[in-house]
Amino acid sequence: MEKRYRLQKNKAFQYVYHRGRSAACRDLVMLVAKGKGLKVGFSVSKKVGNAVVRNKVKRRLRECFRPHLGDVKSGLYVIVARPSAATATFQSLQKDVRYLLRKHNAFQEGNRAP
């Protein structure tokens, strides 16, 4: 995922945590707040595992979200990984991301999730 789509500042994460709406599934929680552009942040705590595992989960989540960049409405998105995400397969993470985007009604009109 390109750097211009990433949510990087702590203030931006805090804004989404306080102002955003959340939806959850087994392995992930997604928070969405209104914003001008499209920015996505990923939060993986130490409860998920050591640094290697956390980075692997973040890489997988980035790759799960990347195909939907053109189809998603603008806003600020934060995806929080639960500890069970460490053992989840890539396919199940893809399903969860798609499910949460649908639950938030984040797809633009005319673009439906595959």
Side-chain angles (χ1 to χ4, degrees), residues 58-109:
K58 279 189 273 191
R59 283 195 310 270
R60 283 182 168 185
L61 289 175
R62 268 190 234 114
E63 191 57 32
C64 290
F65 201 92
R66 190 181 57 81
H68 303 296
L69 284 175
D71 304 332
V72 175
K73 294 177 184 175
S74 64
L76 305 174
Y77 297 82
V78 172
I79 299 176
V80 181
R82 290 183 168 167
S84 59
T87 57
T89 64
F90 181 72
Q91 287 77 18
S92 70
L93 289 175
Q94 276 182 319
K95 279 184 186 177
D96 289 345
V97 168
R98 208 173 313 128
Y99 167 77
L100 291 172
L101 286 171
R102 269 199 226 108
K103 199 166 180 181
H104 275 295
N105 197 16
F107 288 105
Q108 294 174 355
E109 297 300 319

Side-chain angles (χ1 to χ4, degrees), residues 4-41:
R4 65 182 171 155
Y5 293 119
R6 293 202 192 155
L7 199 62
Q8 294 178 321
K9 300 284 184 184
N10 185 29
K11 266 191 168 181
F13 276 90
Q14 293 302 321
Y15 176 80
V16 177
Y17 287 137
H18 293 297
R19 296 279 179 111
R21 297 174 305 135
S22 69
C25 61
R26 184 177 182 179
D27 299 324
L28 303 173
V29 177
M30 183 182 287
L31 295 107
V32 179
K34 291 183 180 181
K36 290 186 179 182
L38 174 63
K39 297 278 187 180
V40 184

